[in-house]
Amino acid sequence: MAAKIRVTVWHEHRHEKTSEAVRAVYPDGMHTVLAGALRSAGDMEVRTATQDEPEHGLTDQVLAETDVLTWWGHKAHHEVRDDIVAKVQKKVLAGMGLLVLHSAHYSKIFNNLMGTSCSLKWREANDREILWFTAPGHPIVAGLSDHVVIPREEMYGEHFDVPEPDETVLISSFTGGEVFRSGLVYRRGAGRIFYFRPGHETYPTYYQREIQQIIVNAVRYLAPAVGSAAQTYGRREPIA
Ligand code: ZN
């Protein structure tokens, strides 16, 4: 049997502590719902880490034992330590997968990896979101038809100031007429990154079956190939 994918679900975990409305949706924190969905997949070994733990829960050992890191943050991006972001970035470039969720478009780690502002338009007004699949057959949408409807979500609208992605897997439309590139794959060094838009903290989006399926698929897609060797650089002798 293949080794399990080692996943660390990282969560800011602040809204749940201060907002009754968010606590009503995620009483034990959003990270427990995400971790539960990933554990149910059966082929993953899942742990969680939160921002207020020592070293944000991302010690050298945790990072060394992580194949794929998922990241949700919103109100405290600026409090994430730069030295830990640098370690995460180094791990991504060396092959660790990174799943960037919703408002983590403004996280330090995503901003550093993209090199652009990652700004967008937004509105919190119970928009209906339809995620359309723009890459049929892509592993990230395996097991699903050709779209997913989320009854109520926050709107994110273009322009999304990110570099042109390596793959665009999902585009959303919203009740107000806006559109947004909601599922984007990037390769940086040996690592893969997937930005996945849905997941505002006051909506039960991460309980939705299809959304959980996309997250499970994405983690599998982002996991580094078993046995992939570290690259070497610099001067070398010719092959005899
Ligand atoms: Zn939001």
Side-chain angles (χ1 to χ4, degrees):
M1 203 187 88
K4 290 196 171 190
I5 302 168
R6 300 168 301 173
V7 189
T8 300
V9 174
W10 190 89
H11 184 40
E12 178 182 274
H13 201 211
R14 294 280 181 90
H15 289 286
E16 293 94 331
K17 293 174 184 165
T18 54
S19 159
E20 198 62 55
V22 176
R23 203 156 45 234
V25 181
Y26 294 108
D28 300 315
M30 186 184 276
H31 54 307
T32 60
V33 174
L34 290 168
L38 293 167
R39 282 192 191 104
S40 302
D43 57 348
M44 300 176 194
E45 207 177 277
V46 184
R47 69 167 110 206
T48 62
T50 55
Q51 184 158 341
D52 291 336
E53 293 172 39
E55 297 187 60
H56 308 319
L58 298 175
T59 61
D60 289 350
Q61 190 181 346
V62 168
L63 285 175
E65 295 170 358
T66 299
D67 298 318
V68 180
L69 178 66
T70 79
W71 195 282
W72 194 103
H74 179 229
K75 61 194 283 187
H77 295 310
H78 59 287
E79 293 176 38
V80 176
R81 276 168 43 188
D82 290 333
D83 60 319
I84 291 173
V85 174
K87 279 197 257 189
V88 171
Q89 184 165 354
K90 198 171 156 199
K91 274 282 295 184
V92 171
L93 297 178
M96 180 178 75
L98 180 68
L99 175 55
V100 177
L101 295 165
H102 187 60
S103 41
H105 69 92
Y106 268 155
S107 61
K108 287 182 181 177
I109 182 61
F110 189 58
N111 292 177
N112 286 1
L113 287 161
M114 295 297 106
T116 52
S117 77
C118 302
S119 296
L120 45 79
K121 297 179 178 70
W122 63 273
R123 173 178 62 241
E124 232 184 295
N126 296 334
D127 275 69
R128 181 195 64 183
E129 175 175 8
I130 306 180
L131 291 146
W132 291 101
F133 302 173
T134 53
H138 196 284
I140 290 178
V141 291
L144 298 161
S145 63
D146 64 355
H147 72 283
V148 173
V149 178
I150 304 176
R152 290 178 306 125
E153 250 292 356
E154 179 181 16
M155 182 281 291
Y156 278 6
E158 296 282 346
H159 172 238
F160 185 17
D161 184 24
V162 286
E164 186 64 19
D166 294 301
E167 298 174 278
T168 302
V169 182
L170 304 161
I171 292 178
S172 292
S173 67
F174 294 88
T175 312
E178 297 85 359
V179 296
F180 191 77
R181 290 166 293 163
S182 285
L184 305 177
V185 172
Y186 293 91
R187 291 183 196 82
R188 291 289 183 273
R192 285 175 172 175
I193 301 158
F194 185 57
Y195 174 79
F196 186 46
R197 193 216 79 83
H200 186 67
E201 65 274 8
T202 55
Y203 299 113
T205 302
Y206 291 143
Y207 293 95
Q208 193 173 327
R209 188 193 63 80
E210 301 101 316
I211 298 301
Q212 292 189 353
Q213 183 68 60
I214 290 172
I215 289 170
V216 164
N217 290 343
V219 166
R220 288 179 183 146
Y221 183 69
L222 296 171
V226 175
S228 41
Q231 292 299 305
T232 57
Y233 298 97
R235 188 184 181 282
R236 60 159 291 134
E237 297 299 328
I239 293 172

